[in-house]
Amino acid sequence: MSDAELTLALGPTNTGKTHRAVERMLEHDSGMIGLPLRLLAREVYDRITAQIGEAAVALVTGEEKRTPPRARYWVCTVEAMPTERVVDFVAVDEIQLAAHRERGHVFTDRLLRLRGRRETWFLGADTMAPIGRALLPDADLRRQMRFSQLRHTGRSGLGGLPPRTAVVAFSADEVYALAARLKARRGGAAVVLGALSPRTRNAQVALYQAREVQYIVATDAIGMGLNLDVDHVAFASLRKFDGKDQRYLAAPELAQIAGRAGRYKRDGSFGTLNPLPALDERVVRAIEEHRFPAVRRLVWRSAALDFESPEALIGSLSAPPPSEAFERVERADDFDALRALSAQDPVRERATSPDRVALLWEVCQVPDFRKLLLARHVSLLGEIYVQLVDHGRLDPGWVAAQVERIDRVDGEVDGLTARLSAIRVWTYVSHRAGWLEDAARWQERTRAIEDRLGDALHQRLVERFVEIGKKRSRAKIDPTPASGPFAQLRGMLEDAREDEDAASRRWVDDAIEAPHEDFDVDAAGVITFRGARVGALVRGRERHAPEARPELPEDLGAGARARLERRLHAFAKDWAAALWAPLDDADAEGALRGLLYQLRIGLGTVLADDAAPQLAALDPTERAALAERGVVLGQHSVYARPLLTSEALARRALLVALAERDARLPKPGAVSYPVDKRSAALAPALGFVPLGPQAVRADLVERVLEALGPLEPPFALPAQVRSWLGVPQKRLDRVLRALGYRRDASGWSPAA
């Protein structure tokens, strides 16, 4: 276990724990945060990438892996955290889930075994304080206070719910029924439940956050840290099926959900929805005062697995916990699948070596997103395992047949939801290393199907549960008769509007998910996506870090606008980050780090005199590290060779133009250009060194000095020198004098 600084940040909802952990992570050179939900991981990923760009941030969940080559920060679901990766900072959110009967063993494992190199934070409910102190006696316990008050308002009817209310139920049928009633009574609602894809859930949340609807109906998924603009939480049910029993929620679970009401310093309220009775007074007091019984035992499963045989693996997974602080996991889907598969002859015949047993365990961990009977899910897992053992890969024809059955966007909400759950299984499978030939193609295909299904589902949800004001206004003013000779024309117009809306949604989602290569920036800083202007680069707080100014269609919905703006801000950060990649200082310290920072803010070139303290402090190892990055320590300047390509120089010119109005810029491809006092000061940022009346590209200055240095004075100026300098004859003497040379009747010599 590491000696890293260890922190337990515990408290109720709306204390800013997750926000502070993210900010603290970004203060380190590298980090990883584990979150309890895929949707929450995406929310944190979006927040970070809007701040620092996408090139430095990885998103890793069971079904989605975005891992840029230079990723320094990893945003993950807790189960998908790459625990073998060493980073400076680690955080795990909602650590009280270590007591969850099915998922708890994963959170417990992270609590006991996962550490950052320099710092580790575990975030969660205050109920974890006693057991956290016992298990982690060296941890710094920081109790967090809620920013706002939470008060109980009793029962209310659907018509009495205030705007910005989240109605909470615990089954899809309940959620959909309530959303339909809210549409009839209050104009509509967004819906959020676990069966939706992240793309659909993001679109539904955006609909609510942009105030296109005033209500959201959700399962308890919203209790896990999602930052929604909620003033009131209304419980439409107090019971849920937990995989084993239909049971009442405990007071801490109710508090986790109710705590979504009121964000930051705005107070929130909670209550029940008729015909439910009001909450018990003791429960109300516990929620309002944030007082709950402490967690006494955590769910545990052995990490020391024996792959000698299926029976040995089952035995190691069934090992008793090491102390009374833990209880062995009661049930888990992967363990149930292992026991069922191990009883099948085709599996037993093949699971004959540690490698094959380890593969069997990996197959058992494919989630049952479809929520089928165990036997049906196990049947699919068995076929996957047999193919992997017999052929080393899954049969592409068989996989194609499975996927093609799912690739349909017809039908209503239930059918689309079922197909979404089914394709998520294959998205997960496509990300398993070595299971598929041409895995990247399968990942792209399953992701595209999931996106199409998600778009279609979002459209059906809006049609079913939202009364769109734009459509109501059209109905009021449209003079076309409902029947007669114009009826068909009216129908065609409505269909065209629907097609236009659907195309607009697809374009927005495509822009949000598209690779950066699909965006372009011209010499004036205009950003286009597939030829359409979407914004422009503008100066940021620092010259080397521009920002994006979105320029989006006026009729774009507020939710879609917010998501696109996030993407454009991330694109601007990455556009600059790609330029500064050779100057990355994540693993640098001291003088090396200082010089790399100077080069970044200098846009890739620094005059040697301005960097004298850092240059004097460099040791041989640091000089070698600079050489590996392509940094040249010249006589007149320090410059990054990769930042002198034509593309890099064009980007540098744009950054200078954004920062300095009417800046004099060299022509594309120029090796020198005339300068005055003001433009001479800007020349290094453009990759040039000012030499009297002319600025010359930094690398050519050093080439000239290298050519002249060995010559015996007085010497005749070599013919190629003037070509390298690109200087008019009338200015040549002044430029060479600025380089430290003088001329007399006999020729050129170094100045005394």
Side-chain angles (χ1 to χ4, degrees):
M1 190 172 291
S2 167
D3 293 329
E5 183 180 339
L6 189 57
T7 297
L8 281 167
L10 306 178
T13 56
N14 192 25
T15 59
K17 298 186 296 291
T18 307
H19 174 77
R20 278 194 289 271
V22 169
E23 292 300 307
R24 183 60 176 161
M25 179 174 74
L26 296 180
E27 292 174 10
H28 289 273
D29 290 332
S30 62
M32 180 191 307
I33 184 167
L35 301 145
L37 297 173
R38 185 182 176 191
L39 182 58
L40 181 54
R42 182 57 191 254
E43 179 184 306
V44 171
Y45 171 82
D46 285 350
R47 187 195 318 169
I48 294 175
T49 53
Q51 186 174 342
I52 67 170
E54 294 176 359
V57 189
L59 175 65
V60 181
T61 70
E63 305 150 70
E64 189 173 15
K65 286 182 173 58
R66 300 181 176 206
T67 55
R70 299 191 304 275
R72 296 189 290 127
Y73 304 105
W74 297 73
V75 180
C76 319
T77 50
V78 173
E79 284 84 351
M81 296 176 81
T83 55
E84 74 286 351
R85 182 169 293 276
V86 178
V87 292
D88 289 338
F89 178 89
V90 163
V92 179
D93 202 8
E94 306 293 0
I95 197 64
Q96 74 276 4
L97 287 177
H100 190 276
R101 58 187 295 175
E102 292 184 37
R103 300 179 66 196
H105 64 90
V106 180
F107 286 78
T108 300
D109 178 81
R110 304 295 184 259
L111 184 73
L112 297 177
R113 290 156 36 92
L114 187 60
R115 297 292 182 270
R117 185 164 43 202
R118 296 184 176 178
E119 192 169 5
T120 303
W121 283 25
F122 294 111
L123 323 171
D126 200 49
T127 55
M128 286 290 292
I131 199 165
R133 279 187 179 279
L135 294 174
L136 308 173
D138 296 329
D140 177 18
L141 176 59
R142 301 180 189 175
R143 281 193 159 95
Q144 314 289 315
M145 300 298 293
R146 186 176 165 92
F147 289 131
S148 63
Q149 297 297 311
L150 194 60
R151 59 186 180 84
H152 181 239
T153 56
R155 299 168 59 191
S156 64
L158 208 63
L161 292 176
R164 314 314 292 164
T165 288
V167 181
V168 179
F170 299 102
S171 73
D173 289 344
E174 287 181 296
V175 167
Y176 293 150
L178 287 161
R181 290 171 59 195
L182 280 166
K183 177 181 179 180
R185 296 286 300 272
R186 311 301 293 270
V191 298
V192 171
L193 60 162
L196 304 183
S197 71
R199 187 168 172 126
T200 309
R201 281 178 285 177
N202 288 344
Q204 288 287 305
V205 167
L207 192 71
Y208 174 79
Q209 289 293 88
R211 296 178 177 261
E212 294 173 33
V213 293
Q214 293 294 331
Y215 302 91
I216 188 166
V217 187
T219 61
D220 52 344
I222 69 165
M224 289 298 166
L226 294 182
N227 292 304
L228 298 174
D229 180 21
V230 171
D231 291 336
H232 181 72
V233 169
F235 289 95
S237 176
L238 299 175
R239 300 177 68 195
K240 65 177 288 187
F241 182 70
D242 62 3
K244 181 180 179 182
D245 302 310
Q246 191 78 22
R247 64 172 179 83
Y248 283 97
L249 272 72
E253 294 174 300
L254 293 171
Q256 185 74 27
I257 300 167
R260 293 302 104 196
R263 303 310 298 158
Y264 193 45
K265 296 186 178 180
R266 192 178 71 242
D267 292 343
S269 60
F270 66 98
T272 53
L273 188 67
N274 291 334
L276 282 183
L279 292 170
D280 181 270
E281 185 59 36
R282 288 172 298 179
V283 173
V284 169
R285 190 159 51 252
I287 294 174
E288 290 183 335
E289 298 175 3
H290 319 299
R291 296 182 183 277
F292 306 102
V295 172
R296 297 299 179 189
R297 302 179 79 189
L298 305 183
V299 175
W300 177 91
R301 185 163 78 183
S302 174
L305 303 184
D306 185 349
F307 294 113
E308 193 61 33
S309 68
E311 293 80 9
L313 178 57
I314 291 172
S316 63
L317 287 164
S318 304
S323 78
E324 292 185 356
F326 308 105
E327 59 181 313
R328 192 177 66 196
V329 59
E330 182 178 332
R331 69 161 304 275
D333 289 344
D334 52 8
F335 185 70
D336 292 345
L338 174 65
R339 289 196 300 183
L341 282 171
S342 298
Q344 297 181 0
D345 289 340
V347 172
R348 295 183 63 82
E349 292 167 1
R350 289 166 173 81
T352 54
S353 68
D355 286 347
R356 289 186 174 188
V357 175
L359 175 62
L360 175 61
W361 181 232
E362 189 177 354
V363 170
C364 290
Q365 292 173 306
V366 174
D368 181 16
F369 295 112
R370 300 171 296 173
K371 302 302 178 187
L372 302 173
L373 294 174
L374 178 64
R376 289 187 61 190
H377 184 58
V378 165
S379 176
L380 174 64
L381 299 186
E383 180 64 30
I384 290 173
Y385 181 69
V386 168
Q387 289 193 30
L388 290 175
V389 172
D390 291 354
H391 307 294
R393 296 280 193 279
L394 295 179
D395 175 22
W398 178 74
V399 175
Q402 305 294 320
V403 168
E404 284 166 6
R405 287 199 294 266
I406 304 167
D407 191 8
R408 296 175 16 236
V409 294
D410 59 300
E412 294 304 316
V413 168
D414 291 342
L416 289 166
T417 301
R419 290 198 289 277
L420 260 174
S421 299
I423 199 61
R424 289 175 69 188
V425 173
W426 295 104
T427 300
Y428 185 96
V429 167
S430 72
H431 281 92
R432 298 309 92 195
W435 284 18
L436 286 163
E437 198 74 48
D438 196 7
R441 181 177 67 84
W442 284 105
Q443 291 164 14
E444 183 178 341
R445 183 173 180 184
T446 58
R447 175 65 180 272
I449 294 172
E450 182 177 326
D451 287 349
R452 285 195 294 273
L453 289 167
D455 291 344
L457 180 55
H458 174 63
Q459 183 176 350
R460 302 293 195 284
L461 291 171
V462 170
E463 291 168 353
R464 184 169 168 183
F465 299 127
V466 179
E467 185 69 36
I468 302 296
K470 184 162 46 177
K471 291 183 179 178
R472 287 202 304 268
S473 66
R474 283 175 179 163
K476 289 176 183 176
I477 64 173
D478 193 341
T480 310
S483 60
F486 295 102
Q488 184 177 6
L489 174 60
R490 178 174 181 173
M492 292 172 62
L493 289 172
E494 289 299 327
D495 288 345
R497 288 169 183 152
E498 293 294 340
D499 291 344
E500 183 180 342
D501 290 343
S504 176
R505 283 192 296 272
R506 284 194 298 272
W507 183 87
V508 168
D509 286 326
D510 285 349
I512 291 167
E513 303 295 342
H516 281 342
E517 291 74 18
D518 286 1
F519 290 82
D520 287 310
V521 177
D522 69 13
V526 173
I527 305 171
T528 56
F529 172 66
R530 296 178 183 172
R533 179 167 177 156
V534 291
L537 292 178
V538 296
R539 177 172 182 168
R541 285 178 294 181
E542 297 177 296
R543 184 174 58 181
H544 69 285
E547 295 181 356
R549 182 186 66 221
E551 299 173 4
L552 303 172
E554 292 183 4
D555 59 352
L556 197 64
R561 179 180 297 276
R563 296 165 67 208
L564 262 177
E565 287 177 350
R566 195 284 312 171
R567 182 65 204 277
L568 289 172
H569 291 312
F571 171 76
K573 303 295 183 185
D574 286 343
W575 182 89
L579 188 60
W580 313 131
L583 305 177
D584 178 42
D585 63 358
D587 58 351
E589 296 179 353
L592 174 60
R593 187 166 195 153
L595 184 57
L596 290 171
Y597 174 73
Q598 273 194 281
L599 283 168
R600 277 203 309 281
I601 64 173
L603 306 192
T605 305
V606 180
L607 297 182
D609 289 346
D610 294 337
Q614 287 79 16
L615 291 170
L618 290 173
D619 62 31
T621 301
E622 291 171 327
R623 289 176 180 270
L626 287 167
E628 289 177 5
R629 289 171 164 85
V631 175
V632 176
L633 307 180
Q635 297 180 50
H636 267 256
S637 68
V638 179
Y639 63 89
R641 190 180 289 110
L643 271 65
L644 291 179
T645 65
S646 57
E647 181 181 354
L649 288 171
R651 291 193 180 196
R652 294 169 70 171
L654 174 56
L655 291 174
V656 171
L658 294 177
E660 303 287 342
R661 185 175 297 178
D662 300 325
R664 180 181 294 178
L665 305 176
K667 294 179 180 179
V671 297
S672 70
Y673 67 105
V675 292
D676 54 21
K677 185 175 181 180
R678 176 173 177 264
S679 56
L682 296 175
L686 294 162
F688 291 74
V689 174
L691 298 171
Q694 198 87 358
V696 180
R697 209 173 67 199
D699 58 331
L700 296 175
V701 171
E702 300 304 324
R703 185 188 297 179
V704 168
L705 291 173
E706 289 175 6
L708 298 182
L711 298 180
E712 189 70 28
F715 54 81
L717 193 67
Q720 68 267 33
V721 166
R722 180 178 170 187
S723 173
W724 291 340
L725 293 173
V727 175
Q729 182 64 44
K730 62 182 180 180
R731 297 185 178 184
L732 184 60
D733 284 10
R734 294 170 63 190
V735 168
L736 286 168
R737 283 200 298 273
L739 272 176
Y741 287 88
R742 60 182 177 80
R743 184 170 66 167
D744 57 25
S746 58
W748 288 93
S749 303

